[in-house]
């Protein structure tokens, strides 16, 4: 933790404001020891420091959690709030839409300043936000004199919902709706307004009227159906997070009127170049196509030329048009197990902008030259007309390379696929020399039956075909950032900050508990984490250390100011390769068009000036989508496991808190909670640095990464929650004391074991 300059030279102690600022800047692991170290406090001064901290605690300016202190309601600087009410003074009060109450306590209340500035692109400021709205805000920390957090509205994301999702409770003489969003009040429905919906159905209603007296009334406009279907579970997440899922008529009309590009005006003709798409087998949109060949330049012996072509979405979606405004509002596509909430209407996403096999499609392409060691020598962007030579799945492409071609891949194996893999081998040498963070995390994939129910949960195998496309896309993204920067054109970088000093200190403390050290160096590199991971590979601590390394990392985001990408170990990086499903990529396309003088539809000065706000919006939209996707999977798995209550499973501890343990099951990856009160007769203490709960009397230790046997005691599909009880004991003074239990009839009902596989953390 960095040394901090003292702010009160009279007694050598920092001021209250300095202490509060330090706690706010180092959330999660700040105690008296860390504060004393940061301000150089020693000896008798520690007693005075303890008194100051007690006063701050008594006044509610800090929260004491064990031996650690935190500012109440630590929030990201840019976040999404739900406006839940008003104060006595009439000020709007917001609560974070994403908040873990179990880990952090009650959600903080934030005073929201309603005065809004312009909406960009010459548009007038929208209507003032009100109770029930979701707003993107910039949070301002309080001070010692005025500790209440405030927030400045950047943008109103969603107005009060005219439509509400909930469960119908029909008595036969009318009905009530229990909204999915707990912040919304119960609604009443007259018998004539229920339609064909049945008691217990998930329905979408339209609010009819709301008066000061009595409950609001509503009318069913869509019966989604049984709560036991994937569609219903996904709709819960969509409404809970305020994800726009219906396109306005003006947007759909604009999409339908869009005409395909037929001429070559302003484009190079690349239709004879055998570019191919390699995607998941069930993909409906195809953003990217690839090609590779040996470099024939004698000066670049064993070098390769790699071409990446990306759908030219910027041609169809013009800045400021209805299609563009709706895409910006959505921010990205959201992927659920059985359907997608797309960023663009299907007319564009799966047709005009999708690089379909054997069909002419406009594209933005980059041709990159690499030497034999995988170092990029040069690159150049082109606006082209292309024609995909083949549409392959990852499995098809991999099988062909592994000696099992089918009728489709056999003719293109030598001329197209083999050169791609040779180029991948070259780029892999460059990647190995760069040494990005080698941290994989499991990916759960839910397989559904024809009626939308869960059939099983698997972990897809990670193939070289996946890694090939990933590395090609990374290099294209680097080229995009370099090109715009060289031309001095603003763009949205994909940035990933170094781990904070607070997280590094916690990581070092953790390593000390397993007899390891992490170097204290000024120039932190991903390879240093890789070194730790390599030392524990194939040991009992491997999974534990991987989890803690992952938790020590910052979250990637979008911003116009470049700080590099720590995880990928890249100085310049931008998202360019998925403009069908990510608005940030579309912005980078426009920046490239302007930088390379490839047309009149490049980034405008007006949009360039608002990239800071746009980066915050898109980062928040990404977090929203990730939360919705994760919660849907959790709810579906909980629904699937309702019939398995009482079954026994094996799993691994993936979270340790003061209130208990979080366990992920081996078979499905399902997460569940074990309350600390059920761990036994002992009193368990939370050791934060060791990520452990330790029994006072027995010294039984439950540690992050430990394997455990559990019994499922409760499954709550509506909340997506599972509750387990532990079978046996933990690590007793280093010796495993957990007995091996025989299989029961219930345990034999568990799902098939998944195939081994990993995926890369989201970059």
């Amino acid at each position: 933790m960095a040394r901090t300059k003292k702010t009160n030279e009279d007694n050598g102690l920092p001021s209250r404001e300095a202490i509060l600022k330090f706690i706010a800047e180092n959330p999660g692991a700040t105690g008296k020891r860390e504060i004393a170290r940061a301000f150089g406090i020693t000896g008798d001064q520690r007693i005075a420091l303890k008194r100051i901290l007690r006063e701050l605690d008594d006044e509610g300016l800090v929260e004491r959690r064990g031996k650690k202190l935190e500012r109440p309601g630590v929030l990201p600087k840019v976040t999404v709030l739900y406006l839940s009410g008003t104060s006595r003074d009439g000020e709007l009060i917001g609560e974070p839409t994403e908040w873990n109450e179990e880990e952090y306590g009650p959600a903080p209340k934030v005073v929201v300043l309603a005065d809004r500035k312009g909406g960009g692109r010459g548009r007038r400021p929208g209507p003032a936000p009100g109770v029930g709205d979701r707003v993107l805000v910039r949070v301002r920390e309080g001070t010692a004199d005025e500790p209440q957090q405030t927030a400045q509205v950047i943008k109103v994301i969603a107005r009060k919902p005219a439509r509400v999702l909930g469960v119908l409770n029909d008595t036969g003489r009318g009905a009530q709706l229990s909204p999915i969003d707990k912040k919304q009040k119960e609604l009443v429905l007259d018998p004539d307004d229920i339609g064909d919906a049945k008691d217990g159905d998930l329905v979408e209603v339209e609010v009819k009227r709301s008066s000061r007296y009595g409950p609001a009334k509503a009318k069913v406009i869509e019966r989604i159906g049984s709560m036991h279907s994937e569609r219903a579970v996904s709709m819960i997440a969509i409404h809970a997070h305020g994800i726009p899922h219906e396109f306005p008529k003006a947007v759909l009309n604009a999409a339908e009127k869009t005409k395909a590009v037929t001429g070559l005006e302003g484009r190079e003709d690349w239709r004879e170049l055998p570019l191919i798409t390699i995607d998941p087998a069930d993909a409906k949109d195809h953003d990217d196509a690839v090609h590779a060949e040996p470099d024939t330049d004698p000066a670049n012996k064993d070098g390769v030329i790699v071409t990446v072509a990306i759908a030219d979405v910027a041609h169809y979606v013009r800045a400021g048009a209805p299609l563009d405004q709706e895409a910006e509002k959505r921010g990205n596509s959201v992927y659920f197990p059985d359907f997608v909430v797309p960023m663009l209407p299907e007319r564009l996403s799966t047709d005009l902008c999708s690089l379909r096999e054997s069909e002419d499609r406009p594209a933005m392409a980059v041709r990159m030259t690499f030497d034999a060691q995988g170092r990029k020598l040069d690159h150049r962007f082109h606006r082209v007309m292309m024609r995909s030579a083949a549409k392959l799945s990852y499995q098809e492409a991999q099988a062909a390379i592994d000696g099992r071609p089918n009728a489709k891949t056999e003719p293109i194996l030598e001329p197209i696929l083999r050169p791609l893999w040779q180029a991948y081998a070259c780029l892999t040498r460059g990647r190995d020399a760069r040494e990005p963070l080698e941290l994989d995390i499991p990916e759960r994939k839910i397989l559904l039956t024809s009626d939308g129910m869960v059939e099983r949960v698997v972990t897809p195998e990670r193939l070289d075909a996946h890694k090939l496309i990933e590395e090609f896309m990374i290099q294209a993204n680097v080229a995009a950032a370099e090109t715009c920067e060289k031309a001095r054109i603003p763009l949205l970088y994909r940035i990933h900050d170094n781990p904070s000093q607070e997280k590094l200190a916690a990581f070092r403390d953790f390593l000390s508990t397993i007899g390891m050290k992490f170097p204290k160096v000024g120039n932190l590199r991903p390879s240093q984490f890789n070194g730790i991971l390599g030392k524990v590979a194939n040991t009992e601590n491997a999974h534990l250390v991987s989890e803690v390394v992952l938790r020590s990392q910052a979250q990637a985001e979008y911003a116009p100011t470049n700080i590099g990408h720590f995880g990928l170990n890249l100085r310049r990086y931008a998202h360019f390769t998925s403009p069908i499903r990510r608005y940030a990529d579309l912005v980078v396309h426009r920046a490239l068009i302007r930088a390379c003088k490839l047309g009149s539809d490049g980034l405008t000065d007006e949009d360039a000036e608002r990239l800071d706000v746009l980066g915050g919006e898109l980062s928040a939209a990404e977090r929203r989508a990730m939360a919705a996707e994760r919660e849907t999977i959790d709810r579906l798995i909980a629904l699937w496991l309702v019939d398995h209550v009482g079954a026994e499973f094996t799993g691994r501890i993936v979270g340790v808190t003061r209130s208990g343990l979080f366990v992920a099951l081996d078979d499905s990856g399902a997460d569940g909670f074990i309350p600390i009160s059920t761990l036994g007769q002992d009193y368990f203490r939370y050791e934060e640095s060791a990520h452990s709960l330790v029994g006072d009397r027995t010294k039984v230790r439950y540690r992050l990464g430990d394997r455990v046997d559990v019994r499922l005691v409760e499954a709550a599909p509506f909340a997506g929650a599972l509750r387990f009880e532990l079978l046996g004991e933990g690590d007793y003074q280093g010796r495993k004391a957990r007995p091996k239990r025989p299989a029961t009839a219930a345990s034999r009902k568990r799902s098939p074991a998944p195939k081994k596989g990993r995926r890369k953390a989201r970059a």
Side-chain angles (χ1 to χ4, degrees), residues 500-559:
S500 67
Q501 291 300 313
E502 172 262 331
K503 288 187 175 182
L504 285 177
F507 183 62
R508 290 190 180 96
D509 288 344
F510 157 72
L511 288 181
S512 68
T513 67
I514 58 173
M516 298 184 71
K517 293 183 179 180
F518 191 72
K520 290 186 178 181
V521 293
N523 185 23
L524 186 67
R525 300 184 306 278
S527 59
Q528 291 162 321
F529 287 100
N530 293 340
I532 296 294
L533 293 169
K535 289 179 181 178
V536 299
N538 302 317
T539 71
E540 63 177 8
N541 287 325
H543 197 279
L544 167 64
V545 174
S546 294
E547 287 284 346
V548 180
V549 168
L550 178 62
R551 291 163 189 241
S552 71
Q553 303 303 306
Q555 187 172 30
E557 56 184 306
Y558 297 106

Side-chain angles (χ1 to χ4, degrees), residues 433-462:
R434 192 176 80 238
E435 294 187 285
L437 183 62
E438 296 291 350
L439 187 63
D440 290 356
I441 57 177
E443 178 186 23
R444 291 179 292 174
K445 183 176 178 63
I446 292 182
L447 303 182
L448 302 173
T449 60
S450 58
D451 58 353
M453 302 295 290
V454 177
E455 178 183 347
R456 58 194 174 104
V457 183
V458 299
T459 304
E461 184 180 6
R462 183 165 165 78

